[in-house]
Amino acid sequence: MALVLVAGGLLVERTVAASAPPTTTSTTTTTSTTTTTLAPTTTTPTTIPVGSLPQTTQLPNAADPAFQQRMAIFWAAVRTGDVASALPAFFPEGAYIQVKAEGDAAWDWQTRLVGQYDQAITTLHQELARPGTELTYVTTQVQPGGATWMPPGSEFNKGPYWRTLYSVLSYRATPTGPIQQQSILDLDSWRGQWYIIHVLSFT
């Protein structure tokens, strides 16, 4: 309420509207954050063929699980007749090339030795894998103290290795049957591991 002087010198009360408060404008700024998740970096391990590595003088141990696993693979091939599946138990090609001194070692390994190996597995499969048999692998033992160190120059070889003859593979024809035995003619070493080189004969 306010007094206002009008014509004639009179004071008159008038209502004066209050002025509106100033308008305040609020601006909100939103910051958007984007998170990018990168897939973890993976490294694929490279498997180096054992035959490409140098020989060692380590005497193999027949109790080594890796050796027993290879012999179980060999015996599974005898049971099924699948000769190709038994190759991991055979002396590595690269190792044979490092050991053999004369001729074409790769051809000799691929043609003569692997051919004899395949034939031995086929023969054992035909003789032992009869209907009703399972040929369960048990273990393979080498002759105690029977390993011989073959130095360079022996048997036309340029590289050394350990050799053991007439190892014994034990198996059961049926799960509850008696343990039976199969002789393995020749195991040769590479880097502290035994590998089959001859099963039934040298030829």
Side-chain angles (χ1 to χ4, degrees):
M1 199 63 82
L3 296 177
V4 180
L5 180 64
V6 296
L10 297 177
L11 293 174
V12 180
E13 291 183 351
R14 288 188 178 179
T15 301
V16 179
S19 60
T23 301
T24 301
T25 302
S26 176
T27 303
T28 302
T29 302
T30 302
T31 302
S32 177
T33 303
T34 302
T35 302
T36 302
T37 303
L38 299 178
T41 302
T42 57
T43 302
T44 302
T46 301
T47 301
I48 301 175
V50 67
S52 67
L53 299 174
Q55 175 68 295
T56 68
T57 60
Q58 180 182 350
L59 177 63
N61 182 355
D64 191 311
F67 168 67
Q68 293 295 330
Q69 183 180 19
R70 285 193 299 274
M71 296 306 292
I73 290 172
F74 161 75
W75 198 244
V78 170
R79 182 178 67 250
T80 63
D82 181 7
V83 297
S85 66
L87 200 57
F90 195 64
F91 196 76
E93 180 181 8
Y96 188 73
I97 292 172
Q98 292 191 58
V99 166
K100 194 67 175 177
E102 296 184 359
D104 187 341
W107 180 91
D108 190 47
W109 184 91
Q110 295 166 5
T111 305
R112 182 178 66 89
L113 292 178
V114 173
Q116 292 175 0
Y117 184 59
D118 291 351
Q119 184 56 55
I121 291 172
T122 299
T123 298
L124 290 174
H125 172 74
Q126 293 171 347
E127 292 179 353
L128 302 177
R130 301 186 182 95
T133 61
E134 296 185 13
L135 300 183
T136 303
Y137 178 79
V138 178
T139 190
T140 300
Q141 296 174 311
V142 303
Q143 298 295 336
T148 302
W149 179 249
M150 308 297 289
S154 60
E155 297 190 339
F156 306 103
N157 295 327
K158 63 184 178 182
Y161 55 92
W162 288 99
R163 161 180 284 176
T164 186
L165 302 178
Y166 305 111
S167 299
V168 177
L169 185 151
S170 299
Y171 69 96
R172 296 181 190 273
T174 60
T176 58
I179 290 180
Q180 302 182 52
Q181 295 180 333
Q182 173 62 48
S183 177
I184 306 298
L185 178 57
D186 185 358
L187 301 176
D188 288 357
S189 77
W190 191 254
R191 296 182 60 80
Q193 290 287 328
W194 288 124
Y195 293 90
I196 299 173
I197 191 73
H198 298 289
V199 180
L200 300 177
S201 69
F202 289 108
T203 58

